[in-house]
Amino acid sequence: MTQVPCSASELRTLFLFEKLADDQLAWLCERGHVEQMRPGPVYTEGDPAECFYVLIEGAVVMSARVGADDVEVLRTDQRGVYAGAWHAYLGDRVPQLYKNSLRVTELSRFFVLGAEDVAMMMREWFPMALHLLEGLFFGMQSTQQVVGQRERLLALGSLSAGLTHELNNPAAAAVRATAALRERVAGMRHKLGMIASGPYERPELESLVRLQEEAVERVAKAPTLSPMEATDREDTLGDWLDEREIGDAWDIAPIFVQAGFDVDWLEHVAASVPPSVLGGALRWLTYTVESEMLMREIEDSTSRISSLVTAAKQYSQMDRAPYQTVDIHELLDSTLIMLGRKIGDDVDIRRDYDRSLPPIPAYAAELNQVWTNLIDNAVSAMAHRGVLSVRTFADHDSLIVEIGDTGPGIPAEIQGRIFEPFFTTKAVGEGTGLGLDISWRIVVKKHHGDLRVESAPGNTRFQVRLPFVAPREVTLPG
């Protein structure tokens, strides 16, 4: 870098300074200076913002850090473009760091002013503009924070309502099954008393106990029948019971069909006990089968409740360190469970997981927020009807999570704006426009990854790229 004389008349030719008075231009030349720079870096993103640069002649390239890469955001030779410490007027209320990197591609000249002088100039020359800029900067920051919190609360409320509904169904089923089981057990006690006082011989009782055990085994292996198959089998078993004058034959037949019984097995029962006690034996088996099926229903219901609680705990990352090594598939599955009711029955969820992928270091709860935003947007885009695909795979040193939908797609003219704060394609009141912005900041800023989209009618795919290895500046706890 070489310092060269500063000319007030030359500064006036730049659009940034063309309206300044002579004494203001003289002040700039007195406090600042002109530097001639050869091709190379001017400053680097993340370093203390010490200087404000205005291009007099030459060409510059501005880049921003996205994950591990520097992405070019501007290339220009326009005189008067500026960069560097232009947030200095905000003082220590914001981190005074360079927000991007700047380099020159040919011999160039800059007017350079120190950050403290930039702040002084703004305060003394443009006090009203300074207040307007401060209000705009902090107002947008505050609005984004409040709306972001509101969006998270709305999402939490929606998830809570869905979880409550999901928990209520198996809980109610377990209560109903428990009440029915109590009645069946009472009936079995009554029937057991009749058997004890009835005309059963020891061999007959042994046969009845053996049939009971066989019936329980058949319940566990009962096939799943279509409605038509079940109806046909009920008719067949009902006729068989009617022919043997078994009371309540058409009430017993559906229970036996559900338990996996067929005519051959009923013939086996008839051959195992005397004809005089066949009716009592079949009713005893009915109580056995109903009790077994009710216990299975209770087990399924309570297992469902346990799974939902586990998913909720996984989703919220309760009692876990914010930054940890996680299995990305567990996070995706817990989010899909939590969003189950919101997704609905008309969406076909297709998982394509590469289970060989290793755990990765991540802020798990925040990644769950990313999955929530992407899945919710995908389902909304399809109007809750279509195919939702969730895919994971490796690409060099990164793990890729791809969320796809079969909706109408994102128009090409707005694809470049969808990650902007407050930009939304949803109807008024349905979206704040912060979901994708929040997701982008979580993935790019906190995880040093990347978030991109490819979209065409019937095939929209958001790809989240996460590094397998934690960045140097992040360390795992413990």
Side-chain angles (χ1 to χ4, degrees), residues 17-35:
F17 302 133
E18 61 185 0
K19 299 297 184 181
L20 297 183
D22 290 342
D23 59 331
Q24 291 174 321
L25 291 172
W27 185 91
L28 287 175
C29 276
E30 177 186 345
R31 294 301 185 98
H33 60 275
V34 175
E35 287 186 9

Side-chain angles (χ1 to χ4, degrees), residues 335-337 339-351 374-390 403-407 460:
T335 303
L336 288 169
I337 291 174
L339 292 174
R341 182 166 178 264
K342 195 170 186 180
I343 292 172
D345 297 330
D346 293 328
V347 174
D348 180 15
I349 301 174
R350 297 181 183 175
R351 295 172 173 87
L374 296 181
I375 292 171
D376 183 51
N377 284 349
V379 172
S380 296
M382 297 186 292
H384 297 265
R385 184 182 298 275
V387 177
L388 173 70
S389 59
V390 184
I403 309 292
D405 68 73
T406 55
T460 296

Side-chain angles (χ1 to χ4, degrees), residues 59 93 107-108 200 224 348 380:
R93 288 172 291 179
L107 190 65
S108 304
Y200 294 91
T224 300
D348 180 15
S380 296

